[in-house]
Amino acid sequence: MHRRDLLRTSTRLLIAAVSALSVTALAAVGASGEPGQVAGPAPVPRLELERYLGTWRQLAAIPQYFNLTCARDTQANYALDPQGNIAVRNTCTTWANTQNEINGTAVVNDRETGAQLHVSFPSVPTQDALDGPTNYIVTALGPDYSWAVVTDPSRASGFVLARAVSLDADAWQQVRAAITAAGQNTCLYLTSPTTGGESRIVPLCAG
């Protein structure tokens, strides 16, 4: 698929995903117009931070405005900083075939599980405060830390991360089950192209 055709396809899928996400959000609003009392996604029982650090590749995600410029090879790198927090470095290759990078910090909010964090980026308005409410929940992990599913309390975001550029069929089955268990729709997740892995942008439910 040519880059222009891929961009058109991804745009159509993005519109469909955002529309479906809006319907999902409205379904949680009661007749009074107030958000329904829906429990947020549960974090994993215990996140071993040392094992979680390092480089993760994004294999699928619910489209977000801040990563629309990313065409392929979206990655996140986590490392401890001098303050004991987590230094975050997100990178990707853009549609113009240039490199995009943003750096931030993750602070653990949940000392019991270690799996609920607040991630901030100094250059992003409304996300520039170092401390704040949880916006990053590790809700599922492969037993060998080969993959992870990350979301937030509202379920508006979602990311499938992996150490490798691809997952086998069994791992994908576990990932889809984890997304469903977190109260999300796998059709809202679009695959993220990676060099040496998936080249298409398709709903995760289609795989």
Side-chain angles (χ1 to χ4, degrees):
M1 183 180 289
H2 295 295
R3 183 180 299 169
R4 183 175 297 175
D5 293 332
L6 185 60
L7 179 57
R8 289 172 179 169
T9 300
S10 64
T11 300
R12 289 196 298 268
L13 288 170
L14 173 61
I15 292 172
V18 171
S19 297
L21 184 59
S22 298
V23 172
T24 301
L26 287 173
V29 178
S32 64
E34 296 296 326
Q37 298 298 315
V38 179
V44 294
R46 184 64 188 169
L47 179 71
E48 297 179 33
L49 183 56
E50 290 296 330
R51 298 180 66 186
Y52 195 74
L53 298 176
T55 299
W56 291 92
R57 293 170 171 83
Q58 179 182 296
L59 300 191
I62 296 176
Q64 305 292 318
Y65 73 91
F66 52 78
N67 61 12
L68 294 182
T69 59
C70 295
R72 67 180 188 278
D73 298 326
T74 302
Q75 298 184 12
N77 183 272
Y78 304 131
L80 287 179
D81 68 14
Q83 288 71 43
N85 295 318
I86 303 165
V88 178
R89 178 173 175 265
N90 292 342
T91 62
C92 73
T93 299
T94 70
W95 295 100
N97 204 34
T98 60
Q99 291 300 303
N100 188 48
E101 177 179 332
I102 188 170
N103 296 281
T105 303
V107 177
V108 177
N109 280 350
D110 177 6
R111 293 296 174 181
E112 181 177 350
T113 70
Q116 299 187 90
L117 306 93
H118 173 75
V119 181
S120 60
F121 296 96
S123 59
V124 179
T126 74
Q127 295 186 34
D128 54 356
L130 183 63
D131 297 308
T134 293
N135 58 11
Y136 183 110
I137 301 173
V138 181
T139 191
L141 272 172
D144 55 355
Y145 280 58
S146 61
W147 59 265
V149 175
V150 177
T151 182
D152 67 86
S154 69
R155 298 180 175 86
S157 66
F159 305 91
V160 177
L161 308 178
R163 299 298 191 180
V165 296
S166 62
L167 293 173
D168 60 27
D170 181 62
W172 272 120
Q173 184 176 3
Q174 295 177 59
V175 166
R176 292 186 180 93
I179 291 171
T180 300
Q184 293 182 302
N185 186 342
T186 57
C187 292
L188 297 181
Y189 282 73
L190 303 183
T191 55
S192 304
T194 56
T195 300
E198 178 64 78
S199 61
R200 305 170 302 160
I201 300 177
V202 296
L204 200 55
C205 60

